[in-house]
Amino acid sequence: MKAMVYFWFKNVILKWVIHMSEKVKSFVLLHCILLVYSVSSILSKLASKQEFLSFKFIALYGAVLFILVFYALMWQQVLKRLPLVTAYANKSVTVIWGLIWGVLFFHEAISITKILGILIIMAGVYLVVTGEEKA
């Protein structure tokens, strides 16, 4: 099994990354760090359910702070490669991750208005990114 995973990683993932354009790599990096950033909301909500200043509370908020520091450092790397308006517009996808995390971890409901909101966000991100290419 380990050999199969290594083979898949080496022959599929690495070759795919090598052949991506720099712009695509920048967007993949951006969305990976936004995914990591969105995990801080899960940890924050879990921490809010703990007794204030208990070990679990401090450990969860410590993890949140670690994620935020990592995110801040990686955000700077993304800004070297992408215009601020493009990177910032893509940041709104964390709302989508928040909805997914809410359903998966906290059994929150998805309403039609939430779905419409996500579609509007996705349309806005698309317009900002494609509008930049035409300019």
Side-chain angles (χ1 to χ4, degrees), residues 56-119:
K56 285 184 179 180
F57 177 88
I58 292 170
L60 288 165
Y61 268 112
V64 169
L65 291 173
F66 177 80
I67 288 172
L68 294 177
V69 168
F70 172 79
Y71 168 76
L73 294 171
M74 295 306 296
W75 180 253
Q76 299 305 312
Q77 299 307 307
V78 167
L79 292 180
K80 288 180 183 178
R81 296 171 175 86
L82 292 173
L84 177 62
V85 69
T86 302
Y88 205 81
N90 278 269
K91 192 174 178 182
S92 62
V93 300
T94 58
V95 173
I96 298 167
W97 285 115
L99 181 68
I100 293 169
W101 299 146
V103 170
L104 291 177
F105 291 100
F106 306 107
H107 310 290
E108 296 174 356
I110 297 178
S111 66
I112 191 70
T113 54
K114 289 178 184 176
I115 292 171
L116 287 172
I118 284 177
L119 291 173

Side-chain angles (χ1 to χ4, degrees), residues 18-35:
I18 289 168
H19 294 295
M20 284 192 299
S21 72
E22 285 303 312
K23 188 169 187 176
V24 172
K25 287 180 186 177
S26 297
F27 275 104
V28 169
L29 173 64
L30 172 62
H31 284 273
C32 286
I33 67 165
L34 290 173
L35 173 64

